[in-house]
């Protein structure tokens, strides 16, 4: 029998028992769909998170109070001061920009509208480090930064809640009890790495924040941008050493601060999501083995039902390997059909889930090809025993079978 004839006969047998064939493929369909959905969602979630981290800024380092002890992050570390940020900008080679950041939640009020938001005390370097352009207005002037004037730049969310469709430029809003003039509006950035709304903020000059809002000169974070990606590790080491000297931290003692490289966090996220996706996919792949057992069971039943047919074929000159090819073709057709249906179902379900969960949807070509190939391997592996049993039937005993 030619390969085409074997395939036609196999498909005919599958169609003759359509319901049984469909139920046999169910395990393969579920297994492949689960693997494809998990891999696709895992990759999409990882790309969404890493994209959000990258949107914080290129070559970005963030210095934060609090070190890493043996039992986890340490607490109670003193905050930075504005002079620390100025020293980094002045003394650390390879630094492109430095922005001090102080944060406090406050109620923003305009007319009859109010909105609780995050007020960020910083300077113009914050905009360049975060690669955050303005959609309207201007950045802070040198006089406003040095003089500590109460002017502000609104995030897109705050602008929408306070002003709606009105033009906010040169309008006076209140932050708590403090009057503040709007000089600019930031372009919308969307969600951050942890799902927070990056546009829900108001920027103030850092000195105005210290004098009028905080009443101190504390800085919660220092954003640092390296000149190039290759220089980021060296800048991280230099900044760490400089802050050790300024705090000061004795030789051999653990730092009471940490300088985070955003690329390290991105790599960590990719590693964690990769491991979790692989683990969940391995668990989902178990259903493929269950589907393979179902194929073997149905094929054994088929061998029993078609014993006389097999006897007739062997009696008129068919070779045992031809019978074996026939049953292997049926098992392979069942598993591959289940694989195709499973891939379509997995991609459709992952696309729907990605839309509902607001994560990226990225088709993983190797995963799709691997799932299809594995479904074929399962069909051949679990169809081999029934096929061999059919090929080894004695023609005379098979013809006598009732």
């Amino acid at each position: 029998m030619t390969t085409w004839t074997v395939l036609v006969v196999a498909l005919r047998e599958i169609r003759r028992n359509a319901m049984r064939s469909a139920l046999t493929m169910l395990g393969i369909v579920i297994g492949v769909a689960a693997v494809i959905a998990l891999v696709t969602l895992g990759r999409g979630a990882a790309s969404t998170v890493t994209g959000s981290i990258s949107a914080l800024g290129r070559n970005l380092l963030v210095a934060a109070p609090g070190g890493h002890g043996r039992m986890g992050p340490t607490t109670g570390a003193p905050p930075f001061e504005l002079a620390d940020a100025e020293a980094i900008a002045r003394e650390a080679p390879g630094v492109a920009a430095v922005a001090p950041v102080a944060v406090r939640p406050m109620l923003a009020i305009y007319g009859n509208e109010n909105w609780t938001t995050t007020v960020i005390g910083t300077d113009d370097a914050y905009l360049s480090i975060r690669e955050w352009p303005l959609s309207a207005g201007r950045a802070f002037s040198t006089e406003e930064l040095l003089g500590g004037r109460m002017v502000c730049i609104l995030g897109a969310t705050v602008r929408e809640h306070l002003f709606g469709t009105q033009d906010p430029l040169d309008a006076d809003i209140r932050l708590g009890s403090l009057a503040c003039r709007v000089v600019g509006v930031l372009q919308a950035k969307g969600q951050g790495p942890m799902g927070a709304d990056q546009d829900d903020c108001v920027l103030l000059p850092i000195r105005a924040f210290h004098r009028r809002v905080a009443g101190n000169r504390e800085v919660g974070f220092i954003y640092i941008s390296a000149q190039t990606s290759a220089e980021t590790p060296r800048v991280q080491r230099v900044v760490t050493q400089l802050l050790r000297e300024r705090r000061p931290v004795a030789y051999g003692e653990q730092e009471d601060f940490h300088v985070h490289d955003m690329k390290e966090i991105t790599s960590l996220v990719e590693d964690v999501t990769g491991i979790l996706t692989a683990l969940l996919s391995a668990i989902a792949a178990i259903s493929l083995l269950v589907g393979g057992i179902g194929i073997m069971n149905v094929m054994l039943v088929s061998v029993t039902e078609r014993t006389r047919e097999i006897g007739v074929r062997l009696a008129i000159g068919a070779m045992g390997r031809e019978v074996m090819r026939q049953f292997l073709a049926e098992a392979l057709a069942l598993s591959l059909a289940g694989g195709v249906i499973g891939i379509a179902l997995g991609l459709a379900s992952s696309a729907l889930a990605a839309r509902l969960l607001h994560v990226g949807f990225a088709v993983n070509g190797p995963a799709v090809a691997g799932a299809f190939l594995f479904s074929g391997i399962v069909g051949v592996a679990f169809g081999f025993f029934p096929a061999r049993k059919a090929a080894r039937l004695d023609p005379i005993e098979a013809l006598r079978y009732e």
Side-chain angles (χ1 to χ4, degrees):
M1 296 176 65
T2 64
T3 302
W4 175 251
T5 303
V6 170
L7 181 60
V8 170
V9 173
L11 293 177
R12 184 185 63 194
E13 292 296 331
I14 292 173
R15 187 178 59 184
R16 189 168 65 181
N17 298 286
M19 180 61 69
R20 186 170 69 183
S21 299
L23 294 175
T24 303
M25 290 188 296
L26 190 59
I28 300 293
V29 171
I30 294 174
V32 171
V35 171
I36 294 297
L38 287 171
V39 171
T40 303
L41 284 176
R43 185 175 182 181
S47 64
T48 299
V49 174
T50 54
S52 298
I53 294 174
S54 299
L56 293 176
R58 287 180 293 182
N59 312 327
L60 177 63
L61 301 170
V62 179
H68 289 278
R70 293 184 178 179
M71 302 303 292
T74 58
T75 58
F80 297 122
E81 296 182 354
L82 188 58
D84 294 323
E86 293 171 347
I88 293 173
R90 184 176 60 250
E91 302 177 24
V95 170
V98 178
V101 175
V103 178
R104 178 165 296 187
M106 297 185 73
L107 182 67
I109 304 168
Y110 178 74
N112 296 325
E113 303 295 332
N114 62 83
W115 181 254
T116 300
T117 186
T118 301
V119 177
I120 301 174
T122 187
D123 57 27
D124 287 343
Y126 182 80
L127 300 178
S128 62
I129 292 173
R130 294 288 313 274
E131 299 179 343
W132 204 342
L134 299 174
S135 62
R138 59 175 177 82
F140 302 131
S141 67
T142 303
E143 293 78 10
E144 290 166 346
L145 289 169
L146 295 177
R149 297 181 184 176
M150 286 296 291
V151 293
C152 60
I153 299 174
L154 304 183
T157 299
V158 179
R159 177 206 180 282
E160 180 181 351
H161 281 90
L162 294 186
F163 292 92
T165 58
Q166 300 180 50
D167 183 6
L169 295 181
D170 294 325
D172 290 322
I173 67 171
R174 281 190 295 132
L175 298 175
S177 59
L178 303 173
C180 183
R181 174 152 295 183
V182 178
V183 297
V185 180
L186 295 167
Q187 283 190 6
K189 255 188 180 287
Q191 289 186 341
M194 302 304 170
D197 184 3
Q198 298 182 89
D199 302 313
D200 191 2
C201 65
V202 175
L203 305 187
L204 280 181
I206 184 70
R207 287 178 171 79
F209 184 94
H210 283 157
R211 295 174 187 174
R212 305 294 300 278
V213 176
N216 56 50
R217 294 178 61 82
E218 295 178 354
V219 171
F221 305 93
I222 301 176
Y223 280 36
I224 306 152
S225 176
Q227 292 178 353
T228 63
S229 178
E231 288 187 328
T232 302
R234 184 172 67 89
V235 171
Q236 184 180 25
R237 293 191 298 269
V238 170
V239 170
T240 300
Q241 183 59 38
L242 179 60
L243 291 176
R244 283 181 64 93
E245 295 171 357
R246 292 186 59 82
R247 296 216 28 117
V249 179
Y251 179 78
E253 290 186 1
Q254 180 69 40
E255 296 95 352
D256 59 352
F257 63 91
H258 191 73
V259 181
H260 302 274
D261 185 349
M262 292 297 104
K263 289 188 295 185
E264 295 176 356
I265 298 177
T266 300
S267 178
L268 178 62
V269 169
E270 291 176 343
D271 291 343
V272 171
T273 54
I275 291 171
L276 289 177
T277 301
L279 178 61
L280 293 174
S281 298
I283 295 173
I286 294 175
S287 60
L288 281 172
L289 300 180
V290 175
I293 295 173
I295 289 176
M296 182 171 63
N297 183 52
V298 169
M299 294 304 297
L300 286 172
V301 172
S302 180
V303 170
T304 302
E305 290 178 345
R306 296 158 61 187
T307 299
R308 287 181 61 84
E309 173 193 331
I310 296 169
V312 171
R313 292 177 62 182
L314 292 173
I316 61 176
M319 304 294 291
R321 61 175 179 271
E322 294 178 341
V323 175
M324 188 172 184
R325 284 174 57 197
Q326 181 64 55
F327 279 88
L328 281 176
E330 293 179 23
L332 183 61
L334 282 172
S335 61
L336 290 181
V340 171
I341 297 172
I343 289 171
L345 182 61
L347 291 176
S349 60
S350 58
L352 177 61
R355 176 173 296 183
L356 295 176
L357 297 174
H358 303 290
V359 299
F361 174 73
V363 178
N364 191 326
V368 172
F372 181 74
L373 179 62
F374 190 60
S375 65
I377 293 173
V378 167
V380 173
F382 285 91
F384 177 78
F385 177 71
R388 187 179 65 171
K389 180 180 179 181
R392 291 184 174 183
L393 286 176
D394 184 278
I396 297 176
E397 296 297 328
L399 289 171
R400 291 177 179 175
Y401 183 81
E402 294 294 338

